[in-house]
Amino acid sequence: MSNRLPIIGVIVAIILVLLYSSIFVVNARQQAIVMRFGQIVDVKSDPGIYFKLPFSMFDADTVQFVDDRILRFDLDDIRVQVSGGKFYEVDAFVAYRIKDPRVFRQAVSGSVQLAEQRLKTRLDAALRRVYGVRGFEAALSEERGSMMREVRDQLRADANSLGLEIEDVRIRRTDLTAEVSQQTYDRMKAERLAEAERLRARGREAAQRIRARADREVVETVAEAQKEGEILRGEGDATRSATFANAYQRDPAFFEFYRSLNAYGMSINNADTTMVLSPDSEFFRFFRNPSGAMPGGAAATPAPQQPATGANP
C-alpha cells in the first residue's frame, strides 16, 4: 500500500494539471477566442467558467482574450486643408468596441494596436475629406455635430472590416496653424484699424456738423438779440423823447431848470475836468438868479444839456 502512494500522488497531480489547463474564466470585461491548432473554434462573450482541451503548449486549444469594453484612441495635430485653401490643425478621438472577435482575430491577429493604426490612417483621410469641402468656420458652428457624424459614418465600413464597431467620433480641437494664425491676426488687425478709422471719420464729420450748427445758432442768436436790442433801444429813445417833450410842454421853466441842474452835476462830477467860463456866462445864470433871468432883462435861453469840457480855449 505504501508503495502505491507515490503513484497515486503523481496521478492526482496529472489530473489537476489537466484540469487546470482545461479551464479558463471569462470576466464581464472580456471576450475569449478559443482556437484549436490556430483555427477559431469558438468565441465566449458571456462571463463564466469554460472548458477547453488541455495541452495548449502543443496548440491543442488556446484562448485569446480581447476587451469587451468601449475603447478609445486619439489622433492629434492632424493638418487638414479647408475649402478656402488654408491649413488647420485638428485633434480628434474615436470610441469603438470589438464587435466581432472572429473577424478581429482574422484581420489583425487580435492586436488592438494594429487595429488602431489602421483606423488612425482612415480617420486622417476621413477628416481631410470632411474639412476639404467646408470652411474653417463650420467647425466652430452648429455644423460641427454633422461633421463628426459624417466622419463616423465614413469610418464604419472600414471598422466593420476589422471586426470593430464605431461608437462615436469627436473633434476635440480645430486650430489655426502658425502661419495661418499670423495671417488671420494681421487681417483682423487691418479690419479693426479700418473700422476705427471709419468711426473716427464719422466722428469728425459729426463734430463738424455740430460745430457748424452751433456757430450758425450763435450767429442767429446774436443777430436776433441785436435786433431786439435795437428795437428796444429805439422804443426807449422814443419813450424818452416823448417823456421829455411832455415834461417840457407842462412846465418849460422847471424843465429848463431841471436840465441845467443835470448839466451842472455832469460837469463837476469828474475831478479831472477843467472848465474856463466867464462868470457872466449864460451857463451860470441859475447861480445868480433862481429864475434864470439874465441881467438887463434879457430873456433866458434854454440851458444846454451838457456843458462843453476840455482844456483852456
Side-chain angles (χ1 to χ4, degrees):
M1 185 66 180
S2 60
N3 294 331
R4 294 180 180 178
L5 288 178
I7 298 174
I8 294 174
V10 171
I11 294 173
V12 171
I14 293 173
I15 293 174
L16 290 176
V17 169
L18 291 175
L19 182 63
Y20 177 78
S21 62
S22 301
I23 295 175
F24 64 95
V25 179
V26 178
N27 61 41
R29 298 171 298 176
Q30 294 177 327
Q31 300 180 84
I33 304 173
V34 181
M35 294 173 290
R36 182 171 299 161
F37 302 110
Q39 300 297 322
I40 299 175
V41 295
D42 198 2
V43 173
K44 304 297 184 182
S45 299
D46 298 326
I49 300 175
Y50 296 94
F51 294 92
K52 62 179 182 64
L53 293 179
F55 305 117
S56 58
M57 64 184 66
F58 300 110
D59 287 337
D61 274 0
T62 58
V63 178
Q64 182 179 11
F65 294 97
V66 296
D67 265 297
D68 196 25
R69 299 172 295 178
I70 295 178
L71 305 177
R72 162 181 167 165
F73 72 87
D74 295 74
L75 191 60
D76 299 329
D77 299 330
I78 308 171
R79 187 180 177 90
V80 298
Q81 185 178 20
V82 298
S83 59
K86 295 182 180 180
F87 288 90
Y88 296 89
E89 292 180 353
V90 177
D91 292 348
F93 73 86
V94 175
Y96 69 96
R97 62 184 299 271
I98 301 173
K99 179 181 180 181
D100 191 337
R102 292 178 180 271
V103 177
F104 181 68
R105 168 66 189 184
Q106 294 170 354
V108 292
S109 301
S111 173
V112 173
Q113 294 181 349
L114 184 57
E116 290 183 353
Q117 288 178 1
R118 295 190 182 182
L119 278 183
K120 285 180 179 179
T121 302
R122 292 160 187 176
L123 174 61
D124 185 290
L127 287 172
R128 293 178 187 276
R129 286 192 297 269
V130 170
Y131 272 88
V133 296
R134 293 176 174 84
F136 173 70
E137 294 78 6
L140 307 179
S141 65
E142 296 179 354
E143 196 176 351
R144 183 188 183 98
S146 63
M147 293 173 64
M148 291 186 291
R149 288 191 295 271
E150 187 174 343
V151 173
R152 180 195 62 192
D153 294 341
Q154 292 186 20
L155 280 180
R156 276 182 171 170
D158 296 327
N160 289 336
S161 66
L162 299 176
L164 308 178
E165 181 181 20
I166 301 298
E167 297 289 340
D168 198 6
V169 175
R170 293 288 174 177
I171 299 172
R172 294 187 291 112
R173 178 181 68 95
T174 301
D175 204 355
L176 305 172
T177 59
E179 60 273 14
V180 175
S181 179
Q182 184 62 39
Q183 294 173 3
T184 303
Y185 171 77
D186 294 339
R187 178 176 55 81
M188 293 176 64
K189 180 179 178 181
E191 290 176 353
R192 298 286 78 77
L193 290 175
E195 181 64 21
E197 184 58 32
R198 285 194 294 271
L199 292 176
R200 283 192 291 267
R202 287 199 292 267
R204 288 192 294 266
E205 181 182 357
Q208 187 64 29
R209 287 197 302 268
I210 293 172
R211 282 194 293 267
R213 185 168 58 251
D215 292 341
R216 184 177 66 254
E217 291 176 355
V218 167
V219 172
E220 293 175 353
T221 302
V222 171
E224 185 66 23
Q226 290 176 346
K227 175 183 175 182
E228 293 180 359
E230 292 296 332
I231 293 174
L232 293 175
R233 191 177 296 110
E235 292 176 351
D237 291 341
T239 303
R240 177 177 174 272
S241 300
T243 302
F244 275 117
N246 186 31
Y248 183 75
Q249 291 175 2
R250 290 185 178 184
D251 192 347
F254 176 78
F255 184 74
E256 183 179 358
F257 174 72
Y258 174 75
R259 295 192 65 183
S260 296
L261 291 181
N262 285 337
Y264 294 154
M266 294 175 64
S267 64
I268 65 177
N269 186 37
N270 192 351
D272 296 334
T273 302
T274 302
M275 296 187 301
V276 180
L277 297 172
S278 173
D280 299 331
S281 172
E282 183 183 357
F283 183 68
F284 294 110
R285 67 184 181 277
F286 284 102
F287 284 97
R288 294 189 304 271
N289 188 348
S291 64
M294 297 294 293
T301 58
Q305 182 178 1
Q306 182 175 357
T309 59
N312 295 333

